[in-house]
Amino acid sequence: MSDERPINPRFNDDVHFNLVSGPPRYRNYTDKPVGYFTVVDKQDGAVLGYVWASDEGDAAAWEARQAGGPRAANEGGFWIRRLRDAKQRGLLPSQALAELYGNPETAGKGLPLPGSLADAPNAAAVEALAKGD
């Protein structure tokens, strides 16, 4: 008997990848001006992160506050889903931002901080805010 293991003939088969498009979504970065608001925890008021948007860059995203830990990171799924839904409905990023800010839902653990709507020169400024505060 031979010590060689048989080679599976399927290892020689070609592998084909087909690109599949997903749901429409905003870009997740822009160097154009953005509007943003702060999201705080409903229970203790701790800052969880920031939602930002830019019509010029057709971009909108969630930036988790680094000091917010896993709770802040997990909160992002909720806001990202709401942004994707807004894009599917054809809203401009600024319209989505206004809707999220003005009509907070209760499904997530966070909500917009009243009076926190502000402007930044680009997405990197909001990211720096999330990392440094």
Side-chain angles (χ1 to χ4, degrees), residues 100-115:
L100 297 178
Y101 182 74
N103 187 18
E105 294 181 7
T106 58
K109 297 195 182 304
L111 53 89
L113 178 66

Side-chain angles (χ1 to χ4, degrees), residues 47-116:
V47 175
L48 297 174
Y50 306 90
V51 178
W52 61 262
S54 169
D55 288 347
E56 288 182 61
D58 190 38
W62 161 261
E63 288 293 337
R65 179 175 174 241
Q66 193 169 22
R71 189 171 201 157
N74 291 339
E75 181 69 13
F78 172 72
W79 294 97
I80 290 167
R81 280 191 302 277
R82 292 185 67 196
L83 287 169
R84 285 183 187 159
D85 176 59
K87 178 68 173 180
Q88 286 179 320
R89 292 184 287 126
L91 296 181
L92 292 172
S94 62
Q95 292 172 320
L97 190 71
E99 179 179 277
L100 297 178
Y101 182 74
N103 187 18
E105 294 181 7
T106 58
K109 297 195 182 304
L111 53 89
L113 178 66
S116 68

